[in-house]
Amino acid sequence: MTSPHIPLLLDCDTGIDDAIALTYLASRPEVELAGIVSTAGNVTTEHVLGNNLALADMLGLDVPVARGADGPLAQELMTAEDTHGPTGMGHAQLPATTRTADPRSGAQLWVDAARAHPGELVGLVLGPHTNLALGLEIEPELPRLLSRLHIMGGAINHRGNTLPTTEWNIAVDPEAAQRVLAAFASAPRRPVLAPLDATESVRFTQETLDALRAISDHPVITALAEALRWYFEFHEADGFGWMAHVHDPLVAAHALVPELARTTPLAVDVELEGTLTRGQTVGDWLGRWNREPNVDVMTEVDADCFVAHLLAVLRARFGA
């Protein structure tokens, strides 16, 4: 028996871990990618779009790849070349591509994909929420048109990775994240939010990197390994040792294999005004706001099982 196809839209700021997530999704036969939205974040929109176009070519994906907005809704764009390298792919050099972007905006691609798959489309936001927030302006019914929404973002009971209390994807565009969480509070199914509390339980070690390289000499595997080498160097310079926290692939995998992590309903909002805490995701564990939960927060991860699963999927696609 063949698995039913799952229409899925990926919104990402590619980015090393975004590239791994995209490769994972392209390697799952049941996933029908409805499109890729390129969002400014880890690097500029121009570099994100270039990475997504090149990876789509390398992976043989015949899907629309859209250019998103060039910056956040209400603040200047900040990027993370120190974390992801000058073009977002670390030490990897992606091949040149003649492929061109879809003429639609990232926001319009969200809307068109949701309308084409009403009640079926799974949305993944692995970067800032800018283009989904803009999509809501075009089509306020997006929360009811999507089947599910999975988000990598925030830090609930965890230190930040941008400022002391803020996670990168939310901090790049807090207004967009706040608008999305508010809009999807009325969705038939709560979004799944994967904060740093959960994603930083996943650690790639040298053993993981060696296992990845051992899969094959396929250009995609080589590119991911070279990108990860930069990621390891960044984490070592940042005081974590020779390893890497790999966030986005966990969110992609959990959307397809929910057994990889547990979730807990929670009311979550984004701080927009704090002088020290702008961009912080705040979870109301004690119910002080008297609000219904608006997300299912990822709380427990089987990290070893996830890493084994990811390598197995890539091995099945790219192994000799």
Side-chain angles (χ1 to χ4, degrees):
M1 294 179 62
T2 58
S3 300
H5 279 224
I6 301 170
L8 186 148
L9 183 76
L10 175 63
D11 189 325
C12 52
D13 58 339
T14 313
I16 293 167
D17 54 337
D18 309 75
I20 300 171
L22 173 55
T23 303
Y24 168 84
L25 292 170
S27 302
R28 292 296 300 261
E30 73 273 34
V31 170
E32 177 189 336
L33 273 173
I36 302 169
V37 175
S38 306
T39 293
N42 288 325
V43 286
T44 64
T45 311
E46 192 70 31
H47 285 314
V48 172
L49 178 62
N51 292 339
N52 286 336
L53 290 170
L55 287 166
D57 263 0
M58 295 171 74
L59 292 164
L61 295 175
D62 183 18
V63 300
V65 179
R67 180 187 181 117
D70 287 330
L73 299 180
Q75 66 181 29
E76 293 296 317
L77 175 66
M78 57 180 178
T79 54
E81 288 83 359
D82 59 335
T83 309
H84 292 270
T87 65
M89 285 297 294
H91 292 296
Q93 298 292 322
L94 299 184
T97 176
T98 58
R99 184 176 182 143
T100 58
D102 191 271
R104 291 167 290 183
S105 68
Q108 190 64 54
L109 184 54
W110 267 105
V111 173
D112 290 351
R115 289 173 175 169
H117 304 279
E120 298 180 348
L121 186 71
V122 176
L124 261 65
V125 178
L126 304 183
H129 292 64
T130 311
N131 289 292
L132 179 52
L134 292 171
L136 285 163
E137 294 181 5
I138 302 170
E139 176 53 272
E141 289 298 308
L142 277 177
R144 285 156 289 283
L145 285 171
L146 292 184
S147 168
R148 293 181 277 132
L149 179 65
H150 294 256
I151 297 167
M152 192 280 124
I156 308 297
N157 294 332
H158 198 78
R159 52 143 184 82
N161 65 355
T162 305
L163 295 175
T165 64
T166 56
E167 179 275 330
W168 178 260
N169 289 342
I170 306 296
V172 168
D173 197 342
E175 278 76 14
Q178 194 277 332
R179 291 183 195 182
V180 168
L181 291 181
F184 276 81
S186 63
R189 187 169 178 175
R190 286 185 295 267
V192 175
L193 178 70
L196 295 178
D197 315 46
T199 64
E200 288 204 346
S201 67
V202 176
R203 292 165 48 96
F204 276 21
T205 63
Q206 182 62 46
E207 181 181 0
T208 318
L209 187 55
D210 291 343
L212 177 67
R213 289 187 184 278
I215 290 173
S216 74
D217 59 358
H218 190 284
V220 170
I221 296 299
T222 300
L224 295 183
E226 283 299 283
L228 278 166
R229 186 163 61 86
W230 179 290
Y231 220 28
F232 275 56
E233 291 167 356
F234 165 77
H235 282 80
E236 184 175 49
D238 213 27
F240 290 98
W242 187 251
M243 52 76 68
H245 292 302
V246 183
H247 312 277
D248 294 340
L250 171 64
V251 183
H254 182 253
L256 304 176
V257 188
E259 297 81 9
L260 291 172
R262 294 183 180 181
T263 61
T264 300
L266 186 65
V268 173
D269 210 335
V270 180
E271 174 60 49
L272 300 179
E273 303 297 334
T275 56
L276 298 178
T277 57
R278 174 172 160 78
Q280 181 177 348
T281 44
V282 182
D284 182 18
W285 292 106
L286 298 178
R288 299 295 193 246
W289 295 337
N290 294 316
R291 299 185 198 171
E292 290 296 317
N294 61 333
V295 297
D296 288 332
V297 173
M298 192 183 292
T299 53
E300 297 178 44
V301 178
D302 190 336
D304 291 341
C305 184
F306 160 69
V307 173
H309 168 73
L310 174 66
L311 290 171
V313 169
L314 298 182
R315 198 174 292 117
R317 169 72 188 272
F318 299 103

